Amino acid sequence: MQNIFLKTERLILRYITQNDFEALKSILQDKEVMYAWEYEFTDMDVQAWIDKNLQMYAKHNFGYFLLSEKVSNTVIGQAALMPDIIEGTQYHEIGYILKKEFWHKGYAREAASALKEYAFHVLQLKEVIFEIRPQNLPSLKVAESLHAKVCGEFIKNVRGIKMPHLIYTLSKLMKS
């Protein structure tokens, strides 16, 4: 397999390519998977997602990565390390979007942990954040399992919908 960014015990995180349109479509157009975003992507949105990540790779060498199981090579979702600006402050965010059949199996935590390690040990960042909607209990549990702590909240405007988000911070000095 080429274009690998990271490997974990069970996962491969690889760069998204134009050839991943159908795999991404199956994730981003699933209403149950995208419940926290309150919309499913159109085909044009999926293409824009790919294009945005290709631009992030060119600029930062990271963004959203396609997640696949090592053993089966099955695409199970996406995980991200990406720059973000919230209310004028620059952060580096870790995020994840998994296909429903792969929820509650520890994959989000495993990917987030690997991205945290990359951020701290390769990029030498001092902290990373998670932006999580308060009602997204599984994502809250992932952040908390890595010992991230709530440090603030903000309203994210997504397609005209104002969505409250918590900011969980995990610093290099914190136990994880």
Side-chain angles (χ1 to χ4, degrees):
M1 177 172 277
Q2 51 186 314
N3 296 326
I4 294 173
F5 181 75
L6 286 175
K7 291 182 181 180
T8 70
E9 182 182 335
R10 300 180 297 162
L11 300 170
I12 294 172
L13 289 78
R14 71 166 177 80
Y15 294 95
I16 291 169
T17 70
Q18 293 291 348
N19 294 332
D20 294 316
F21 183 87
E22 292 300 321
L24 289 168
K25 184 176 169 175
S26 72
I27 299 164
L28 298 171
Q29 291 184 352
D30 183 317
K31 185 175 186 158
E32 288 184 84
V33 169
M34 300 303 290
Y35 77 94
W37 293 55
E38 294 190 29
Y39 76 94
E40 306 89 62
F41 282 44
T42 65
D43 284 357
M44 285 178 53
D45 292 331
V46 173
Q47 185 58 56
W49 183 266
I50 292 169
D51 295 342
K52 179 181 176 183
N53 280 289
L54 294 176
Q55 290 169 1
M56 276 200 276
Y57 300 156
K59 187 172 183 178
H60 304 287
N61 195 38
F62 49 85
Y64 265 95
F65 300 98
L66 212 60
L67 288 177
S68 58
E69 286 183 315
K70 269 186 185 176
V71 174
S72 68
N73 202 31
T74 301
V75 172
I76 67 165
Q78 303 175 74
L81 173 62
M82 58 191 176
D84 197 7
I85 297 174
I86 302 172
E87 298 176 346
T89 302
Q90 173 78 46
Y91 295 98
H92 285 84
E93 175 192 359
I94 292 175
Y96 32 83
I97 306 170
L98 298 180
K99 290 182 176 182
K100 188 173 182 186
E101 61 266 32
F102 297 100
W103 290 357
H104 311 295
K105 297 181 186 299
Y107 290 124
R109 185 190 191 288
E110 187 172 330
S113 181
L115 290 167
K116 172 206 55 131
E117 292 299 319
Y118 181 87
F120 291 163
H121 299 294
V122 176
L123 299 178
Q124 296 297 309
L125 298 176
K126 291 183 174 33
E127 72 175 19
V128 293
I129 67 162
F130 301 82
E131 291 179 21
I132 306 171
R133 298 203 53 200
Q135 67 271 34
N136 187 344
L137 298 180
S139 285
L140 296 176
K141 287 180 183 177
V142 169
E144 291 166 0
S145 76
L146 293 169
H147 305 285
K149 305 289 183 211
V150 176
C151 72
E153 56 186 80
F154 72 108
I155 303 294
K156 188 175 204 171
N157 190 333
V158 180
R159 297 184 172 227
I161 301 170
K162 293 182 179 177
M163 300 179 180
H165 280 71
L166 299 173
I167 302 171
Y168 274 76
T169 302
L170 181 59
S171 75
K172 190 173 186 174
L173 303 176
M174 295 171 117
K175 179 185 166 194
S176 60

